[in-house]
Amino acid sequence: MTVLLPLSHLINYLLFAFLAGHIALKFVSEEKKPKTAVPKPALLLSALGIMICTFMPVLEVIRYFADNSGFTSVLLSVITDFQVGRAFLATGFSGALLWLTIQLRGSKYLEAFWMLIMIAAQGYASHVASLSFWTGFASHSVHFLMISLWGGILLHISFFAKGEKNWQAFLRWFTPFAILSLVLIISSGLVLMFKIVEPREYFMSWALPYGQMLLLKHISIIPVLAIAFINGFLAKKAEREKAFNPVSWVKAETILLLAVFSFTAVMGTLSPPHDPDITVTTEGASKWASFLIGKEIAVPISVHLNISYQGVFLFLISFLFLAMIMESFRKKASALLGLLFGLCFIASIYFGIMLDITF
């Protein structure tokens, strides 16, 4: 389950984004989006896949308690008494009805309704909702909804678009939508983060596997913003050059969002650092962080800045990579090159940070 659980989280995020993007684009008129062709079996399998992936956290809880009682009694207890179990029931019921609605080509409003119930179930099952129900439920649901819509629309447009028509009209409305999504994602994300990690303990959390994933998630958002900024300019370029097809840069943004999904998926399987000192004592520090700083991390955790030539060099290189993303677009280079620079930025600034701190 060590690999299977985070993998199921990642697949779950992708399937939610895939379905959310498909449903959202149904509400956009044909002249304001490129034509997309999505196989119906892919939509039906996505709905089934969400139900399977949502059961994986339930199975993990069952495995934890199964030694003390029989499987059936533990299963019934987890499904009826635990938030993650109730969320699975809501997701499974809504997912089955969504599957039926897609199969029978039902109303797009009905599809959207079932999708919103499924997303709300994810918010209900979140760790933050168990700490502060309404705040956690609302912020996680909004966070999950907006990143699913943003990533899902990009996924469909970049990989399922047919032809070069309507790119200008699409980018004209999608750019402000992406900005709104980003504002809601960041604001709800800050609420979620500070419910789990106290602001003064944010840097201390880097000593833990959860904190490492949180740091990588935050870093990986920066190149996403850079390419999203570029894609905002594509709207104007598409107006000037009617034959211009910006799909390659949209694909680059989609793939970098996949990196954000990946770090988030792993975070969902790790113990949140409500108190880093206690978490290190009970579960141990991040072995990877210990390896990078060259010593064992012990309590009480105290983070110090330890500037090194290597760290400063990597910081400078990282900002050079960020500048090269912009330059590759200005010079009309391949978007693949921009994507590579984005991944290099994530790696260089991460290692630069880790080399310049000590616990």
Side-chain angles (χ1 to χ4, degrees):
M1 294 291 284
T2 304
V3 176
L4 193 57
L5 194 59
L7 182 61
S8 69
H9 276 269
L10 174 58
I11 294 172
N12 202 36
Y13 293 150
L14 292 175
L15 295 179
F16 263 101
F18 181 68
L19 284 175
H22 168 73
I23 294 170
L25 286 171
K26 282 190 169 187
F27 290 85
V28 180
S29 59
E30 295 298 325
E31 63 273 11
K32 292 185 178 180
K33 62 183 178 182
K35 183 177 177 58
T36 56
V38 182
K40 185 177 177 181
L43 298 171
L44 296 173
L45 287 173
S46 295
L48 291 175
I50 286 174
M51 288 185 274
I52 295 171
C53 290
T54 307
F55 182 70
M56 295 306 294
V58 177
L59 184 59
E60 181 69 7
V61 177
I62 292 171
R63 288 178 70 250
Y64 183 80
F65 290 106
D67 292 338
N68 301 323
S69 305
F71 178 85
T72 305
S73 60
V74 173
L75 173 63
L76 290 174
S77 177
V78 171
I79 287 180
T80 56
D81 297 333
F82 286 67
Q83 284 183 220
V84 67
R86 295 168 187 159
F88 166 69
L89 287 179
T91 303
F93 181 74
S94 302
L97 291 173
L98 176 61
W99 187 95
L100 192 60
T101 305
I102 294 172
Q103 175 67 21
L104 299 178
R105 302 186 185 278
S107 166
K108 61 184 179 182
Y109 296 99
L110 199 54
E111 289 184 8
F113 176 75
W114 299 131
M115 195 75 221
L116 287 174
I117 295 295
M118 293 165 71
I119 288 174
Q122 300 303 300
Y124 175 80
S126 67
H127 179 75
V128 185
S130 66
L131 301 175
S132 177
F133 180 74
W134 288 112
T135 302
F137 168 71
S139 55
H140 191 280
S141 297
V142 169
H143 191 77
F144 193 56
L145 172 64
M146 297 315 300
I147 202 166
S148 294
L149 288 173
W150 183 16
I153 291 172
L154 284 174
L155 183 64
H156 281 273
I157 294 300
S158 57
F159 290 99
F160 295 95
K162 303 295 181 182
E164 301 178 1
K165 287 185 62 179
N166 301 329
W167 273 105
Q168 173 187 343
F170 167 74
L171 291 171
R172 192 181 295 128
W173 68 262
F174 182 74
T175 298
F177 173 79
I179 293 172
L180 174 63
S181 298
L182 182 63
V183 170
L184 291 173
I185 288 168
I186 291 176
S187 56
S188 59
L190 288 173
V191 173
L192 292 172
M193 185 179 75
F194 291 140
K195 282 291 181 181
I196 294 175
V197 182
E198 292 286 339
R200 60 186 175 82
E201 295 177 344
Y202 174 70
F203 299 105
M204 293 169 60
S205 73
W206 294 353
L208 297 162
Y210 185 98
Q212 286 287 299
M213 290 298 107
L214 185 62
L215 173 61
L216 283 166
K217 177 182 177 180
H218 290 164
I219 290 172
S220 63
I221 290 172
I222 297 174
V224 172
L225 296 181
I227 294 185
F229 180 72
I230 287 172
N231 286 340
F233 282 104
L234 293 181
K236 296 179 180 178
K237 187 170 183 178
E239 290 180 7
R240 295 194 304 269
E241 303 175 26
K242 302 300 182 183
F244 175 69
N245 186 355
V247 66
S248 59
W249 282 97
V250 177
K251 281 184 178 179
E253 184 179 350
T254 307
I255 293 171
L256 283 173
L257 267 177
L258 177 61
V260 179
F261 280 159
S262 301
F263 297 131
T264 306
V266 177
M267 281 173 56
T269 66
L270 300 172
S271 299
H274 298 301
D275 187 318
D277 284 336
I278 293 176
T279 308
V280 167
T281 302
T282 56
E283 301 187 17
S286 167
K287 294 180 180 179
W288 176 245
S290 298
F291 170 76
L292 288 178
I293 66 173
K295 68 174 187 178
E296 290 294 323
I297 299 174
V299 295
I301 299 172
S302 180
V303 183
H304 301 284
L305 186 64
N306 184 26
I307 296 176
S308 64
Y309 291 113
Q310 301 96 319
V312 171
F313 176 73
L314 285 171
F315 266 108
L316 294 175
I317 289 293
S318 68
F319 286 105
L320 180 61
F321 281 132
L322 200 60
M324 290 303 293
I325 295 175
M326 303 297 181
E327 187 66 11
S328 60
F329 171 70
R330 194 178 72 85
K331 294 291 187 180
K332 299 182 180 180
S334 169
L336 182 61
L337 196 59
L339 173 62
L340 179 62
F341 287 143
L343 295 174
C344 289
F345 168 83
I346 295 171
S348 57
I349 198 169
Y350 169 73
F351 285 112
I353 290 172
M354 294 307 297
L355 288 174
D356 274 358
I357 63 168
T358 183
F359 295 98

